[in-house]
Amino acid sequence: MNLKKGLLICGLLFCCVTLFAQITESTIDSTGYVKPFSNSSFYRTWSIGVHAGLMSTFNIFSSNDKLDFTLPNTQYGYGGYIKKQILPAFGIQGDLLVGKLNGDNAQPNAAGVSPYKSFSTPVNYGLSLSTNFTLANINWKFMKSTMQPYATSGAGIMNYKPAVTTSSGVVQNFKTGNDVLNEFFVPVGVGIKFLITTGINLDLGYQVNFVYADNVDGYKFGSTNDKYSYAHIGLEFAFGKKTKPQLAAYNPVSSMRHEYLSEIDHINNKLSGMQASVDSQKMANLALKQQVKTANAIITKLTTDSDGDGVPDLFDKCPDTPAGTKVDGAGCPLPVAKPAESFTITEQDRSVVYEAVKNLEFNTGSAVISDGSYPSLTALAKLLADKKYHLKLAGYTDSTGSSDLNLTLSKERAEAIKMFLVSKGADPVLIGTAGYGKSNPIASNKTKAGRKLNRRVEFTLY
């Protein structure tokens, strides 16, 4: 019911403003012409906008099954902004967004149980500062562009208060004391504006807000932050004299075209005196051809390379170098590099790796290395630094949990070992990492002992 009321209000607002624009349009300068390269005082550069639309945790960057609550509900939202246009294609604006988010059916937790039936989060306000890029002027013939595609991005603070309903029907605030949360967020959007009158635009847009926290729906699930979308319709009103065009809608190319057409009339009146200039130009062209011929001879001299070593003869200090010989900047042969020395991995070296694998432990469910693993890993780092061995680290997990989480955890554990070795002097270029999640088990995942063996990081020295 709230959504229908909101859309009805937006429709009535749009109809009233359109009627007002038709009544006042007769007072606007019929040409709206500004000469090319005029400063911003000849345009309207300040504007305000109001909008209303639909808010949802569903967005173009996430499918429903990846959300914390898999059944997002569309809710009503509204807001406004004030904008300063700096250039025809660039402006800065301050935004306000108010609304509500809710959804049903929380994702199951580690125990396979969905802990919440639903969530409801009033967005008290979202304040942000954004850049606005007008992407193209579609109407190249007329002074005013009737369509203005745009893209926005910025940063701001979001004030909200999440609450969840448990599976037993109890409503709980996400934070004790009924306190609201303030989080940093990044709004990114696209849209298109339609010029209704010289000072009024119809605004259609879509925005995704990336919140730097996993608290919006009151349920911390997965390893990604929350984000939500806002699709809106609104109106933009430009400040300033009605005779001035909007800087964002004004087409400088069209004004240059106007100047060009005016200049053609002036040129046509001088055609009778242009023949002498044409004859003079012909003589200049003949002289230019002779200069080009002379220049070509110089270029040939500067670029001739008889022995094909890449160094012109004019600068080649070692002419007649045999074909295929690598040379320096003076055309002389480079010294032949000696073959790299070979090395042998000893049993003592392998025992250092064995000790590092045997003593390796991580904190449960994380990529934090336990303190007991440090001594043997430090010895391995010294071996790598002294003998310049290569080392490959391959992380694996058991089958508990989702494939995506296991793959991420296995990668993070391999990277954690690499970071430790590098911190102790090992060369990061010689250490490769990979994560394979729950693939390639070496024991059965049906037993506790088997799952422990499958949670491992394999070390390969070469």
Side-chain angles (χ1 to χ4, degrees):
M1 182 64 66
N2 291 336
L3 176 60
K4 292 181 179 179
K5 288 182 179 179
L7 294 178
L8 179 60
I9 293 172
C10 290
L12 292 174
L13 178 62
F14 171 70
C15 293
C16 292
V17 174
T18 302
L19 179 61
F20 173 79
Q22 292 174 348
I23 296 174
T24 59
E25 181 65 27
S26 59
T27 63
I28 299 174
D29 185 358
S30 59
T31 62
Y33 177 73
V34 179
K35 287 187 176 182
F37 311 111
S38 298
N39 61 46
S40 60
S41 64
F42 291 89
Y43 304 92
R44 300 194 207 186
T45 60
W46 284 97
S47 62
I48 61 171
V50 293
H51 48 73
L54 306 176
M55 296 176 64
S56 174
T57 55
F58 175 77
N59 57 85
I60 61 175
F61 298 103
S62 298
S63 58
N64 282 22
D65 60 348
K66 300 296 184 183
L67 301 176
D68 294 353
F69 288 80
T70 60
L71 298 176
N73 297 323
T74 302
Q75 295 295 318
Y76 175 68
Y78 60 93
Y81 60 87
I82 182 168
K83 184 181 71 168
K84 169 65 175 178
Q85 196 72 23
I86 309 299
L87 299 170
F90 175 76
I92 298 176
Q93 66 184 52
D95 294 278
L96 168 67
L97 178 61
V98 180
K100 186 178 182 180
L101 297 166
N102 66 36
D104 301 316
N105 192 31
Q107 294 273 16
N109 55 25
V113 178
S114 180
Y116 303 117
K117 291 174 59 178
S118 63
F119 82 95
S120 178
T121 301
V123 179
N124 300 323
Y125 60 82
L127 295 174
S128 61
L129 184 65
S130 302
T131 56
N132 184 298
F133 296 91
T134 302
L135 303 179
N137 286 322
I138 293 179
N139 192 336
W140 294 91
K141 185 176 181 180
F142 302 102
M143 299 299 175
K144 295 177 292 185
S145 299
T146 56
M147 298 174 65
Q148 305 164 43
Y150 68 88
T152 62
S153 64
I157 296 296
M158 174 183 170
N159 178 280
Y160 63 98
K161 183 179 180 180
V164 294
T165 301
T166 66
S167 56
S168 59
V170 178
V171 178
Q172 298 177 346
N173 289 316
F174 174 74
K175 189 176 181 181
T176 59
N178 297 329
D179 293 332
V180 297
L181 301 178
N182 292 284
E183 305 286 4
F184 177 79
F185 78 106
V186 174
V188 177
V190 294
I192 186 169
K193 295 179 182 177
F194 297 88
L195 188 68
I196 300 176
T197 71
T198 303
I200 302 176
N201 300 319
L202 173 65
D203 182 10
L204 303 176
Y206 179 82
Q207 176 178 303
V208 177
N209 299 283
F210 296 84
V211 184
Y212 276 64
D214 193 14
N215 304 324
V216 174
D217 51 24
Y219 181 29
K220 290 181 176 293
F221 177 82
S223 59
T224 59
N225 292 330
D226 288 330
K227 46 188 172 288
Y228 64 95
S229 63
Y230 175 57
H232 69 265
I233 180 173
L235 294 170
E236 182 181 33
F237 304 88
F239 297 146
K241 294 182 179 179
K242 295 179 179 179
T243 55
K244 294 182 180 181
Q246 297 180 53
L247 181 57
Y250 193 76
N251 191 343
V253 175
S254 182
S255 63
M256 294 177 68
R257 175 178 176 270
H258 176 84
E259 294 292 317
Y260 166 75
L261 294 177
S262 299
E263 187 65 20
I264 287 180
D265 293 335
H266 179 69
I267 292 175
N268 288 335
N269 295 328
K270 296 185 177 181
L271 286 177
S272 59
M274 293 182 64
Q275 189 59 48
S277 298
V278 172
D279 293 338
S280 175
Q281 188 62 49
K282 287 182 178 179
M283 296 299 294
N285 288 344
L286 291 175
L288 182 59
K289 287 181 179 180
Q290 183 58 42
Q291 293 176 8
V292 170
K293 184 177 180 180
T294 303
N296 287 336
I298 296 174
I299 291 173
T300 300
K301 182 178 180 181
L302 292 173
T303 58
T304 299
D305 182 13
S306 300
D307 57 4
D309 60 359
V311 180
D313 292 349
L314 186 63
F315 308 103
D316 197 341
K317 296 182 178 181
C318 299
D320 303 324
T321 303
T325 303
K326 295 183 179 180
V327 299
D328 57 18
C332 295
L334 292 170
V336 179
K338 295 181 180 180
E341 296 181 1
S342 60
F343 58 86
T344 302
I345 301 175
T346 67
E347 288 302 321
Q348 184 178 359
D349 297 338
R350 297 184 191 279
S351 66
V352 173
V353 177
Y354 173 78
E355 289 297 320
V357 174
K358 185 179 72 173
N359 297 325
L360 179 62
E361 289 185 2
F362 290 92
N363 291 347
T364 303
S366 75
V368 178
I369 302 172
S370 300
D371 294 347
S373 304
Y374 290 172
S376 55
L377 287 177
T378 302
L380 177 58
K382 184 177 186 305
L383 174 64
L384 296 176
D386 292 342
K387 295 195 174 182
K388 305 301 181 183
Y389 287 147
H390 288 74
L391 180 66
K392 179 180 179 181
L393 301 169
Y396 297 90
T397 66
D398 59 28
S399 61
T400 305
S402 68
S403 297
D404 291 342
L405 289 177
N406 282 329
L407 183 61
T408 299
L409 180 59
S410 64
K411 290 180 180 178
E412 290 176 349
R413 285 181 169 177
E415 286 292 337
I417 296 172
K418 178 179 178 178
M419 292 175 61
F420 182 88
L421 295 174
V422 171
S423 70
K424 298 299 181 180
D427 188 347
V429 177
L430 302 180
I431 303 175
T433 61
Y436 300 100
K438 61 184 179 182
S439 62
N440 301 326
I442 60 174
S444 173
N445 280 303
K446 295 181 180 180
T447 66
K448 182 177 180 180
R451 289 192 296 272
K452 181 177 180 180
L453 291 174
N454 289 331
R455 297 191 296 268
R456 68 195 189 279
V457 177
E458 296 180 354
F459 290 55
T460 304
L461 192 68
Y462 61 98

